[in-house]
Amino acid sequence: MSAPTRRQELAADLLDLAMSRRSRYLEDLSELVAMDSGSYDPDGVNQVADWVQRRLQRTGFTVERVSFSTDGPYQAGDALVARKKGTLPAGEGGRRILLAGHMDTVFDRGTALTRPFTLQGSLAHGPGVSDDKGGLLAGLTALEILDEHRWTAYDELVLIATPDEEIGSPASRPLIERTARGMHFALGLECARENGDLVIGRKGVADFHITVTGRAAHAGIEPERGANAALAAAHLIVDLQALNGRWDDVTVNVGTLRGGSRANIVCADAELRVEVRAATIADVQLVERAIRDAAGRPAVPGTSITVERLDLCPPMEVTAASRHMLETAQLAARAVGVSLAATTTGGVGDANLIAGTGVPTLDGLGPIGGADHTPQEWLDTTSVPQRIAMLAALVATLGSAADASL
């Protein structure tokens, strides 16, 4: 049997299995959406974790439950890392595949009660219905139908479910990066864009804290003895905002400015918070150098400027390997009757952290949804069976080096 024929027959079988689970998917989604699981609600996140853990264990996964230290400004819920070995070792061409979703939402406790799961025609609504409970559930269901089909031609399948993606994964980032290392491919379970596109690239984000130091003086009697930090900061803001447009896919935003203490004192200190977003790590580094160069030339004599980079979320860069993954996904999509394209976005997620370890990554592999983070959030339930079947077929194809090279 030829490889294309084998792939088409597999996709058809997986689509039949996914179609048969549509009603159960909606029942499960309603149950998940009814669980409040805001990022700052560890009890709610852990309720979702309990539910996901049971499902994974029934599918034959070994589940590690990871709790995080209470040190810091908040307590995160638990993370899950689930593993299942296949029958094709890496030395014989088997591949290790990571699926990544998150259990937290942006909504406060009580939202699920006041705005419960509803189904209006083909659209499901409710807190987290798209971001990311619909996507996480699609990943679980795809793994279940692969298990039902007895597809084991892979080295290892790993699923990570995190508790704090919506706030930048401060607790789970080390776990995500540690889990990603050694994987051959990674698939993000965020839902697809409103037009059905996958996400092949996400910008990285670098945050900077800039301190401007001047010299205080009486503003009425001897202002000439002062060095106005606010004025130096104003000139710097103009210079930094002017960096926009210098490089493609790069944005620089001075988000906050604070300075001075009283109107009758020449401002002695000011501080800026600056965010940079760029599609490649090389561009992040270019912009950082430009920021430091501008800071090294304060416009007001007697002032000085220091730049501190606070954090860097790496970009999910578009690479030859991720383009190959997209082509493989498009083949799987066509086999189940779906036309598939991909886009890039300025938003960040756990896929950035995974891609930052060097693992080829695609995101947006859940069903089609939109209006995330709003009361209007929706999920197109007509997209569910095809998207689950496509995801399962993609996992099956990537699981073997022989198939992944098709």
Side-chain angles (χ1 to χ4, degrees), residues 197-280:
D197 283 357
L198 301 186
V199 175
I200 194 171
R202 291 181 176 274
K203 287 185 177 180
V205 180
D207 292 319
F208 296 89
H209 178 245
I210 299 177
T211 304
V212 185
T213 302
R215 187 169 57 252
H218 194 295
I221 299 174
E222 48 187 11
E224 70 281 357
R225 293 193 174 186
N228 196 312
L231 179 58
H235 281 280
L236 182 61
I237 290 171
V238 172
D239 289 342
L240 297 185
Q241 292 293 147
L243 295 175
N244 287 290
R246 183 178 296 185
W247 302 277
D248 292 338
D249 293 326
V250 170
T251 57
V252 180
N253 182 61
V254 180
T256 66
L257 164 65
R258 185 202 65 79
S261 58
R262 296 172 63 103
N264 62 352
I265 301 174
V266 174
C267 178
D269 56 78
E271 61 180 11
L272 314 177
R273 290 293 297 270
V274 180
E275 181 196 82
V276 171
R277 296 193 181 224
T280 69

Side-chain angles (χ1 to χ4, degrees), residues 94-366:
R95 292 292 179 257
R96 292 181 292 275
I97 302 172
L98 175 65
L99 289 82
H102 63 92
M103 300 177 288
D104 61 319
T105 74
V106 299
F107 301 105
D108 294 332
R109 176 164 285 275
T111 305
L113 182 63
T114 59
R115 188 162 51 82
F117 178 88
T118 60
L119 192 59
Q120 300 173 359
S122 63
L123 297 184
H125 297 273
V129 70
S130 170
D131 185 18
D132 181 33
K133 292 179 177 178
L136 180 60
L137 180 58
L140 293 174
T141 308
L143 294 174
E144 288 170 349
I145 65 174
L146 283 172
D147 179 69
E148 187 173 347
H149 196 274
R150 301 187 184 279
W151 190 272
T152 60
Y154 53 83
D155 179 63
E156 186 178 36
L157 299 181
V158 181
L159 183 141
I160 184 168
T162 55
D164 55 351
E165 188 272 348
E166 295 292 4
I167 55 173
S169 304
S172 61
R173 178 171 180 169
L175 176 67
I176 294 168
E177 293 173 335
R178 186 167 64 249
T179 304
R181 293 187 180 98
M183 294 290 147
H184 292 99
F185 302 105
L187 304 173
L189 299 176
E190 297 282 0
C191 281
R193 306 295 93 173
E194 293 187 12
N195 65 355
D197 283 357
L198 301 186
V199 175
I200 194 171
R202 291 181 176 274
K203 287 185 177 180
V205 180
D207 292 319
F208 296 89
H209 178 245
I210 299 177
T211 304
V212 185
T213 302
R215 187 169 57 252
H218 194 295
I221 299 174
E222 48 187 11
E224 70 281 357
R225 293 193 174 186
N228 196 312
L231 179 58
H235 281 280
L236 182 61
I237 290 171
V238 172
D239 289 342
L240 297 185
Q241 292 293 147
L243 295 175
N244 287 290
R246 183 178 296 185
W247 302 277
D248 292 338
D249 293 326
V250 170
T251 57
V252 180
N253 182 61
V254 180
T256 66
L257 164 65
R258 185 202 65 79
S261 58
R262 296 172 63 103
N264 62 352
I265 301 174
V266 174
C267 178
D269 56 78
E271 61 180 11
L272 314 177
R273 290 293 297 270
V274 180
E275 181 196 82
V276 171
R277 296 193 181 224
T280 69
I281 195 67
D283 281 345
V284 173
Q285 293 166 347
L286 280 174
V287 180
E288 180 169 355
R289 286 197 293 270
I291 291 172
R292 293 186 184 278
D293 287 346
R297 303 186 303 272
V300 177
T303 61
S304 62
I305 303 174
T306 59
V307 178
E308 178 189 8
R309 193 181 76 193
L310 299 177
D311 191 25
L312 172 63
C313 178
M316 176 181 149
E317 298 193 27
V318 181
T319 64
S322 62
R323 290 191 189 96
H324 173 71
M325 289 180 70
L326 174 60
E327 292 169 0
T328 306
Q330 289 170 326
L331 290 172
R334 283 199 292 271
V336 299
V338 175
S339 177
L340 194 64
T343 189
T344 60
T345 178
V348 302
D350 286 344
N352 290 70
L353 305 178
I354 295 167
T357 68
V359 179
T361 305
L362 275 182
D363 202 1
L365 284 152

Side-chain angles (χ1 to χ4, degrees), residues 8-24:
Q8 290 170 353
E9 290 185 356
L10 171 64
D13 290 343
L14 293 173
L15 180 57
D16 287 343
L17 290 171
M19 293 289 287
S20 71
R21 288 172 176 258
R22 182 178 181 275
S23 295
R24 180 182 173 184

